[in-house]
Amino acid sequence: MIIGLDVGGTTIDTVAIENGKVVAFKKFERGRSLIDSALESLNQFISKEMISNLERITLSTTVTTNAIVQNNLDKVGMIIENGIGANPEFLMCGDMNFFADGYINNRGIEINPVNIESVKSALQSFKQEGIENLGIVGKFSVRNPQHELSVFKAAKEYNFKFVSVGYKLSGKLNFPRRVFSTYLNCAVYSTFNMFYKSILTFSQERKIPLEKIFIQKPDGGIVNLQNIESFPIFSILSGPAASAQGGFVLSNFAKNAIIIDIGGTTTDIAFLSNGNLVLEPYGAKIGKYPTLVRAIYSRSVGLGAESIVKIVDDTVKIGPETKRWYEKGKNEFITFYDVLQFSNSCHESPINAGLKSLSSQLNMSQENFCKLVISRAVSMIEEKIKEGIEYINNLPVYTINKLLYGEKFAPQKIILIGGPAELLKPHLENELKIKVEVPKHYMVANAIGCAIGSISKEYNLVADTIQGKMVIPELNIYQSIPADFTIDQAKKVLIEKVLECREAKNQDDVEIVDESSFNMIRSFKFCGRMIRIKAQLKPKLLNLRD
Amino acid sequence: MLKAKNSLGLILFPAFDWRISPTHPEREERLLYTIDQIEEEGLFDYENIKIYNPEMIESKYIEMTHFCIPAISSIVTVSHKIAAGSAITIAKKVLSKEVEKGFALIRPPGHHAHRITYGDRGFCIINNEAIMVEYLRKEYKIKKIAIIDTDCHHGDGTQDIFWNDKDVLFISLHQDGTTLYPGTGFTDEMGGPSAIGYTLNLPLPPYTSDEGFLYCLDNLIIPVLEEFKPDIIINSAGQDNHYSDPLTNMNFSAQGYAKLTEKLSPNISVLEGGYSIESALPYVNLGIIFAFAGIDYSNIKEPDYNPERLKQSQRTTDYIKRLCEHVYSIWKSKEEREYNIKMANQDYYVRKKSIYYDTMGFRENQLEKIKICKKCSGLILIDSLCLGYRVLAIVIPHDACNDCENEGHKLFENTEVGDYSHILLQDKKSFEFFRKPL
Ligand SMILES: [Zn+2]
Ligand SMILES: [Zn+2]
């Protein structure tokens, strides 16, 4: 039995899956306290029988995202080794920031050492100001984390509550994002900890071992609650990931498609290219911060079932304001859902008066008014789809082969999920002239996506035979290699290491997605190779049988 | 997200899967560390710095710029077509005002490619900026163009193509031709009979530092540009003046390149040479990009930067001062010089040229004749011998008068193939290309 729970903007969706079949699902209304209502819903949903053959529970929650958006954050001290580049002022995201000297270059070679004495006095002053969370980030630290690690070591004697080093968050290059990710990772620590403790209590009360509780990550993968303790930031933005993943599975693993999830307040659009969900090239943007947190690329429109339809300056406006659950019963608002319903049935309904008044303001029949509203909504969605397709097709390529022969993304269909999917389907199909599928269980696709989430990860190996060094930042591997190390060896080593670290069960689960080897020439002579390999775990998603 | 002061379009196309030979300085690794530095700097995250993928160039634009012998298909590789296409792509983005400025970081370079090209010279086969100029004139009707070549090597190919073209002001700063390939670019090379003074060369002594380059900019290039009033400024941005470059002997730094870019403020830059791929390019390119975008670049310094060690000698400073004065006097006296040349050469202005293809080890001999015409810049006829080919190349300039245009077409039609392997006509006025035998 697998249980998925997705906390959305208006509802909490739960689902139970057994032997590839959805055996139970329920939508709960979301209360004011997010954690409390999530756990309450889970408590109500889970029966004793479910627990007895429980494989795992996966939660997708917005607690940490909300903390960031609402600026409910811990105080953080940042040690930043900014090296050569932009003026570092814009990186001062912490409550206290110290710019350390020292520089590691793009090949991971130490150019200037870090001055630990000055770092120590900064740490001292952080403590004096009552700062308990510490972020440590250096430029090019994923090529060589020595400086981050020596600061980390120095920080031990100051007993910070939570310390995060930048290189562990991602193997990708992008220093500002590394700084912001590390900062946020520290800043959401207390919020996440509170959430963690609530779940701990819940798991003890219901006698569910903690190893069976997972969190949905923004890249669609899942991670065990215990393993995420040092990376609370990985619990952000899981909502769009759950819906993308759910749409993907319910589509029977379509190759090239668009997944549209129309919810209560927003519509999220994700893209499936060549059988993979398209990811953000560097990572998610959270609040005002671009980060290195691996995430599914999605576009969002402030348009949902509960979006209020208004007339502003003689034109129709839909959303982004919504009629929230606690406002139910007030009939003066017309929502997008009302319009969809009227348009599909044309029945007299309690909303008729409101609709009549709106349509008469534009001198239109109710039918035509509804058509106008829907076509406006569809074009809002269409605009974001176009934006996404253009974005994906214009991602930079660095080789002639990819430039000339790289496949262009051309979606073949739309997978439409979320509450009003059935009602919206004919309109989307007519106006966009593309096949639209509404899969079974479209109402709880998010919870399904959350339940069946797989472990997905990316690994970057960089080997430099002049230095005789190899790094795989994601696995925390920094080791020596012989001078005659080759690209084939590198590929083998990377797969071996992933298996050794038990991130995959067998080598077929690891896929090499990018590889290159550069001859390094110094003084007109060959003197070594720069090898770069990128691998990923092939997502293994459960096949639903109904 | 971050925002730069000026919007900037970038093409970053390192062509990681293309090389001339395994140890050639113009190789796959060339832009690797630059891309690393740019990625680590988070440049992709500035909302008004846009990265574009290049397009492939249409053969038409190559034909309207070069005579490729024996044919485009046999000497121009895919990577050259992409490099030239990049220049077109970035020009489109700037001219359509999608971005204010554009910088194409591409390889291979192009500024040693002459009007007639038999293959690779100084890692160039076709001239990226020259092709861009033809494109700008054809598609955007741009008239006055300035090309400032800041590569350490003399931009002899670009000079050759616009030699007799008054609408294109070409200024090249480079290490003195007596000490560096291609051995040309002296102050007495100042343009053909109808464009005297529109080619200006500043041969600089070895070990010129930031100070010297910026002096030329302040005291010659900027004043000349102010007088010429170009519609667009293009920078052939070679980065081999850097103090760590293995092929040259200059003392320019990343700070110097950034300041030069800021002062010159070109609309479009296209990367040329630069072979210190690890110690210079990441920092120089970042400095240029920051200067373009109006981002503070004061923290971009090479790890081993030491301005004291790079200081130029007093002799160099004095020499550069005299050089700028001399070149400025050429610019000032251009009308008078043109008059004198046209008086001395009544029908045709004739030049003998010998062009060495360093990478391939052969020599081309040319006889170039430029018609002295009162109504236009004059028909150009070139007789070229190389590799057993004999080529008659006819160029009808874009400003051609009816007489010159008719004369060019008649000559093309009436010349028997006979001894020639190629008879070619580039009609820039009607943007048409003709060849014999077919
Ligand atoms: Zn050069
Ligand atoms: Zn004429």
Side-chain angles (χ1 to χ4, degrees), chain B residues 13 36-37 62 68 140 180 203 279 305 323 334-335 384 419:
Chain B
F13 194 69
D36 282 353
Q37 197 78 31
I62 304 179
C68 294
Y140 289 90
L180 190 68
S279 315
Y305 179 61
L323 175 70
K334 54 191 185 301
E335 282 85 9
S384 158
D419 294 342

PDB file of all heavy atoms in Angstrom, chain B residues 13 36-37 62 68 140 180 203 279 305 323 334-335 384 419:
ATOM      1  N   PHE B  13      28.606  29.963 -28.223  1.00  0.00           N
ATOM      2  CA  PHE B  13      28.640  28.696 -28.943  1.00  0.00           C
ATOM      3  C   PHE B  13      30.058  28.179 -29.041  1.00  0.00           C
ATOM      4  O   PHE B  13      30.803  28.489 -29.958  1.00  0.00           O
ATOM      5  CB  PHE B  13      27.985  28.829 -30.321  1.00  0.00           C
ATOM      6  CG  PHE B  13      27.718  27.483 -30.921  1.00  0.00           C
ATOM      7  CD1 PHE B  13      26.749  26.664 -30.368  1.00  0.00           C
ATOM      8  CD2 PHE B  13      28.478  27.013 -31.962  1.00  0.00           C
ATOM      9  CE1 PHE B  13      26.530  25.393 -30.866  1.00  0.00           C
ATOM     10  CE2 PHE B  13      28.264  25.744 -32.479  1.00  0.00           C
ATOM     11  CZ  PHE B  13      27.281  24.936 -31.932  1.00  0.00           C
ATOM     12  N   ASP B  36      32.410  27.871 -18.199  1.00  0.00           N
ATOM     13  CA  ASP B  36      32.368  27.556 -16.759  1.00  0.00           C
ATOM     14  C   ASP B  36      32.241  28.836 -15.932  1.00  0.00           C
ATOM     15  O   ASP B  36      31.430  28.928 -15.027  1.00  0.00           O
ATOM     16  CB  ASP B  36      33.653  26.846 -16.319  1.00  0.00           C
ATOM     17  CG  ASP B  36      33.661  25.378 -16.710  1.00  0.00           C
ATOM     18  OD1 ASP B  36      32.623  24.885 -17.192  1.00  0.00           O
ATOM     19  OD2 ASP B  36      34.704  24.729 -16.518  1.00  0.00           O
ATOM     20  N   GLN B  37      33.080  29.806 -16.268  1.00  0.00           N
ATOM     21  CA  GLN B  37      33.115  31.047 -15.494  1.00  0.00           C
ATOM     22  C   GLN B  37      31.777  31.788 -15.621  1.00  0.00           C
ATOM     23  O   GLN B  37      31.247  32.304 -14.642  1.00  0.00           O
ATOM     24  CB  GLN B  37      34.260  31.935 -16.008  1.00  0.00           C
ATOM     25  CG  GLN B  37      34.669  33.047 -15.055  1.00  0.00           C
ATOM     26  CD  GLN B  37      35.538  32.553 -13.908  1.00  0.00           C
ATOM     27  OE1 GLN B  37      36.297  31.600 -14.071  1.00  0.00           O
ATOM     28  NE2 GLN B  37      35.413  33.169 -12.744  1.00  0.00           N
ATOM     29  N   ILE B  62      27.516  34.418 -47.906  1.00  0.00           N
ATOM     30  CA  ILE B  62      28.947  34.106 -48.082  1.00  0.00           C
ATOM     31  C   ILE B  62      29.361  34.547 -49.485  1.00  0.00           C
ATOM     32  O   ILE B  62      30.381  35.212 -49.668  1.00  0.00           O
ATOM     33  CB  ILE B  62      29.220  32.589 -47.895  1.00  0.00           C
ATOM     34  CG1 ILE B  62      28.714  32.111 -46.535  1.00  0.00           C
ATOM     35  CG2 ILE B  62      30.708  32.300 -48.059  1.00  0.00           C
ATOM     36  CD1 ILE B  62      28.915  30.619 -46.285  1.00  0.00           C
ATOM     37  N   CYS B  68      34.893  32.031 -52.791  1.00  0.00           N
ATOM     38  CA  CYS B  68      35.474  30.817 -52.207  1.00  0.00           C
ATOM     39  C   CYS B  68      35.962  29.910 -53.328  1.00  0.00           C
ATOM     40  O   CYS B  68      35.192  29.514 -54.203  1.00  0.00           O
ATOM     41  CB  CYS B  68      34.433  30.074 -51.365  1.00  0.00           C
ATOM     42  SG  CYS B  68      33.913  30.990 -49.919  1.00  0.00           S
ATOM     43  N   TYR B 140      18.945  45.559 -43.547  1.00  0.00           N
ATOM     44  CA  TYR B 140      18.556  46.686 -42.695  1.00  0.00           C
ATOM     45  C   TYR B 140      18.901  48.037 -43.305  1.00  0.00           C
ATOM     46  O   TYR B 140      18.717  49.062 -42.668  1.00  0.00           O
ATOM     47  CB  TYR B 140      19.183  46.543 -41.302  1.00  0.00           C
ATOM     48  CG  TYR B 140      18.568  45.440 -40.486  1.00  0.00           C
ATOM     49  CD1 TYR B 140      19.075  44.150 -40.529  1.00  0.00           C
ATOM     50  CD2 TYR B 140      17.442  45.680 -39.685  1.00  0.00           C
ATOM     51  CE1 TYR B 140      18.488  43.129 -39.799  1.00  0.00           C
ATOM     52  CE2 TYR B 140      16.859  44.670 -38.948  1.00  0.00           C
ATOM     53  CZ  TYR B 140      17.384  43.390 -39.000  1.00  0.00           C
ATOM     54  OH  TYR B 140      16.804  42.384 -38.271  1.00  0.00           O
ATOM     55  N   LEU B 180      54.857  40.046 -35.694  1.00  0.00           N
ATOM     56  CA  LEU B 180      53.751  39.082 -35.550  1.00  0.00           C
ATOM     57  C   LEU B 180      53.032  38.833 -36.874  1.00  0.00           C
ATOM     58  O   LEU B 180      52.927  39.725 -37.713  1.00  0.00           O
ATOM     59  CB  LEU B 180      52.744  39.618 -34.508  1.00  0.00           C
ATOM     60  CG  LEU B 180      51.663  38.658 -34.042  1.00  0.00           C
ATOM     61  CD1 LEU B 180      52.260  37.517 -33.207  1.00  0.00           C
ATOM     62  CD2 LEU B 180      50.591  39.379 -33.224  1.00  0.00           C
ATOM     63  N   PRO B 203      49.755  49.998 -35.566  1.00  0.00           N
ATOM     64  CA  PRO B 203      50.663  48.925 -35.149  1.00  0.00           C
ATOM     65  C   PRO B 203      51.327  49.299 -33.817  1.00  0.00           C
ATOM     66  O   PRO B 203      51.979  50.334 -33.724  1.00  0.00           O
ATOM     67  CB  PRO B 203      51.689  48.878 -36.292  1.00  0.00           C
ATOM     68  CG  PRO B 203      51.633  50.226 -36.938  1.00  0.00           C
ATOM     69  CD  PRO B 203      50.285  50.829 -36.668  1.00  0.00           C
ATOM     70  N   SER B 279      44.049  31.077 -18.477  1.00  0.00           N
ATOM     71  CA  SER B 279      44.443  32.199 -17.615  1.00  0.00           C
ATOM     72  C   SER B 279      43.788  33.502 -18.018  1.00  0.00           C
ATOM     73  O   SER B 279      43.696  34.421 -17.223  1.00  0.00           O
ATOM     74  CB  SER B 279      45.947  32.405 -17.665  1.00  0.00           C
ATOM     75  OG  SER B 279      46.609  31.183 -17.559  1.00  0.00           O
ATOM     76  N   TYR B 305      46.949  38.872 -11.563  1.00  0.00           N
ATOM     77  CA  TYR B 305      47.025  40.256 -12.098  1.00  0.00           C
ATOM     78  C   TYR B 305      47.946  41.129 -11.248  1.00  0.00           C
ATOM     79  O   TYR B 305      47.808  41.193 -10.033  1.00  0.00           O
ATOM     80  CB  TYR B 305      45.610  40.831 -12.125  1.00  0.00           C
ATOM     81  CG  TYR B 305      45.527  42.260 -12.621  1.00  0.00           C
ATOM     82  CD1 TYR B 305      45.940  42.601 -13.906  1.00  0.00           C
ATOM     83  CD2 TYR B 305      45.004  43.267 -11.809  1.00  0.00           C
ATOM     84  CE1 TYR B 305      45.834  43.907 -14.372  1.00  0.00           C
ATOM     85  CE2 TYR B 305      44.893  44.578 -12.265  1.00  0.00           C
ATOM     86  CZ  TYR B 305      45.322  44.887 -13.551  1.00  0.00           C
ATOM     87  OH  TYR B 305      45.220  46.176 -14.003  1.00  0.00           O
ATOM     88  N   LEU B 323      52.313  57.843 -32.836  1.00  0.00           N
ATOM     89  CA  LEU B 323      51.541  57.006 -33.761  1.00  0.00           C
ATOM     90  C   LEU B 323      50.125  57.562 -33.926  1.00  0.00           C
ATOM     91  O   LEU B 323      49.609  57.702 -35.037  1.00  0.00           O
ATOM     92  CB  LEU B 323      51.495  55.567 -33.216  1.00  0.00           C
ATOM     93  CG  LEU B 323      50.634  54.571 -33.984  1.00  0.00           C
ATOM     94  CD1 LEU B 323      51.266  54.253 -35.338  1.00  0.00           C
ATOM     95  CD2 LEU B 323      50.455  53.269 -33.195  1.00  0.00           C
ATOM     96  N   LYS B 334      42.434  62.916 -45.635  1.00  0.00           N
ATOM     97  CA  LYS B 334      41.991  61.858 -46.548  1.00  0.00           C
ATOM     98  C   LYS B 334      41.474  62.377 -47.894  1.00  0.00           C
ATOM     99  O   LYS B 334      41.752  61.785 -48.932  1.00  0.00           O
ATOM    100  CB  LYS B 334      40.963  60.947 -45.878  1.00  0.00           C
ATOM    101  CG  LYS B 334      39.754  61.623 -45.274  1.00  0.00           C
ATOM    102  CD  LYS B 334      38.977  60.622 -44.428  1.00  0.00           C
ATOM    103  CE  LYS B 334      37.694  61.217 -43.886  1.00  0.00           C
ATOM    104  NZ  LYS B 334      37.876  62.424 -43.036  1.00  0.00           N
ATOM    105  N   GLU B 335      40.782  63.530 -47.898  1.00  0.00           N
ATOM    106  CA  GLU B 335      40.248  64.049 -49.168  1.00  0.00           C
ATOM    107  C   GLU B 335      41.394  64.429 -50.116  1.00  0.00           C
ATOM    108  O   GLU B 335      41.368  64.109 -51.295  1.00  0.00           O
ATOM    109  CB  GLU B 335      39.342  65.270 -48.933  1.00  0.00           C
ATOM    110  CG  GLU B 335      37.947  64.926 -48.426  1.00  0.00           C
ATOM    111  CD  GLU B 335      37.900  64.763 -46.922  1.00  0.00           C
ATOM    112  OE1 GLU B 335      38.923  65.081 -46.256  1.00  0.00           O
ATOM    113  OE2 GLU B 335      36.872  64.291 -46.402  1.00  0.00           O
ATOM    114  N   SER B 384      43.652  36.222 -59.781  1.00  0.00           N
ATOM    115  CA  SER B 384      44.307  35.527 -58.667  1.00  0.00           C
ATOM    116  C   SER B 384      44.820  34.164 -59.100  1.00  0.00           C
ATOM    117  O   SER B 384      44.125  33.415 -59.788  1.00  0.00           O
ATOM    118  CB  SER B 384      43.303  35.363 -57.522  1.00  0.00           C
ATOM    119  OG  SER B 384      43.688  34.312 -56.679  1.00  0.00           O
ATOM    120  N   ASP B 419      41.991  30.288 -70.040  1.00  0.00           N
ATOM    121  CA  ASP B 419      42.969  29.943 -69.011  1.00  0.00           C
ATOM    122  C   ASP B 419      42.381  29.959 -67.612  1.00  0.00           C
ATOM    123  O   ASP B 419      43.006  29.489 -66.665  1.00  0.00           O
ATOM    124  CB  ASP B 419      44.123  30.957 -69.031  1.00  0.00           C
ATOM    125  CG  ASP B 419      44.919  30.853 -70.316  1.00  0.00           C
ATOM    126  OD1 ASP B 419      44.785  29.799 -70.988  1.00  0.00           O
ATOM    127  OD2 ASP B 419      45.641  31.810 -70.628  1.00  0.00           O
TER     128      ASP B 419
END
